[in-house]
Amino acid sequence: MTTVQHSTNEELDAGLAHIRSAPKDAGVLRMIVRRPDVNVRQVLDAGDLDAVQGLVGDTWHQRTSRKTPDGSPHPDMQINLMNSRVAALVAREESRWSLAGDQLFVDFDLSGANLPPGTRLSIGNAIIEVTDQPHTGCAKFVQRFGVEAAAFVNSPVGRELNLRGINARVVQSGRIEVGDAIRKLA
């Protein structure tokens, strides 16, 4: 069994300039990950975003939420996006990005200043909308990427830049493919 080496504080801090230089208006969808079951990940070349189901085949629509009165899936947490530069830094290998638990990995500036809640984004022929639901590192994130990585993404700078990622909801169903542009809509 191989032991995974976690990124150090020095490595994480050194990667911040690269993360900050991510595209602000038009980026690229780098990875699509479907979660068909708990702790199961399927990396896809293409997928369908649906206004009711989220990423088709993902279990979001079956997951309970402590943030809804009846425990139903939270509609504003339908899709999780993570900056691929952050994923590369904390995961160290692209094959480990999917462990973060997000569905879409994008080379795009996800900071609150660039993408405030309500911002609409086109990916393929789908449109999603950034929501105000925070996305933070959990115990699984710590286990998979280390205490330093969790502290990094949840630090004041990490929160400002949304290094752990953002939540969104699908407003127009459509097909997406790795390599598609992700663009802010006016």
Side-chain angles (χ1 to χ4, degrees):
M1 181 185 204
T2 347
T3 303
V4 175
Q5 197 71 22
H6 295 301
S7 297
T8 65
N9 286 326
E10 294 77 21
E11 291 168 328
L12 295 166
D13 289 339
L16 206 47
H18 182 58
I19 293 164
R20 286 183 187 272
S21 69
K24 297 193 180 315
D25 295 315
V28 177
L29 176 60
R30 295 278 317 275
M31 183 180 282
I32 304 167
V33 180
R34 179 169 50 205
R35 306 162 307 180
D37 205 350
V38 177
N39 293 323
V40 177
R41 306 286 186 267
Q42 293 175 333
V43 177
L44 308 172
D45 293 326
D48 294 299
L49 294 183
D50 181 81
V52 175
Q53 295 180 46
L55 177 61
V56 174
D58 188 78
T59 58
W60 165 81
H61 66 285
Q62 300 169 355
R63 294 175 182 225
T64 59
S65 174
R66 295 183 307 245
K67 296 184 175 196
T68 56
D70 63 356
S72 62
H74 199 297
D76 289 344
M77 300 172 83
Q78 193 178 45
I79 301 294
N80 311 125
L81 290 88
M82 186 173 190
N83 180 304
S84 60
R85 296 174 188 216
V86 177
L89 185 61
V90 300
R92 300 177 74 95
E93 297 171 17
E94 190 170 338
S95 63
R96 298 187 71 242
W97 290 11
S98 66
L99 295 175
D102 301 273
Q103 296 119 320
L104 307 181
F105 292 84
V106 296
D107 188 16
F108 198 61
D109 178 358
L110 301 179
S111 70
N114 193 47
L115 300 179
T119 303
R120 290 195 172 189
L121 305 167
S122 68
I123 309 172
N125 58 9
I127 298 175
I128 62 174
E129 182 177 279
V130 177
T131 67
D132 63 357
Q133 292 300 307
H135 189 30
T136 58
C138 62
K140 288 181 183 179
F141 190 88
V142 172
Q143 177 187 20
R144 294 168 181 163
F145 304 117
V147 173
E148 292 86 357
F152 178 68
V153 300
N154 289 312
S155 69
V157 169
R159 298 256 183 172
E160 172 191 333
L161 300 176
N162 288 324
L163 297 184
R164 179 56 195 95
I166 59 173
N167 283 296
R169 62 186 185 89
V170 179
V171 294
Q172 177 181 302
S173 300
R175 184 89 173 151
I176 61 172
E177 295 183 27
V178 171
D180 278 349
I182 176 171
R183 291 186 173 88
K184 282 199 294 192
L185 299 175

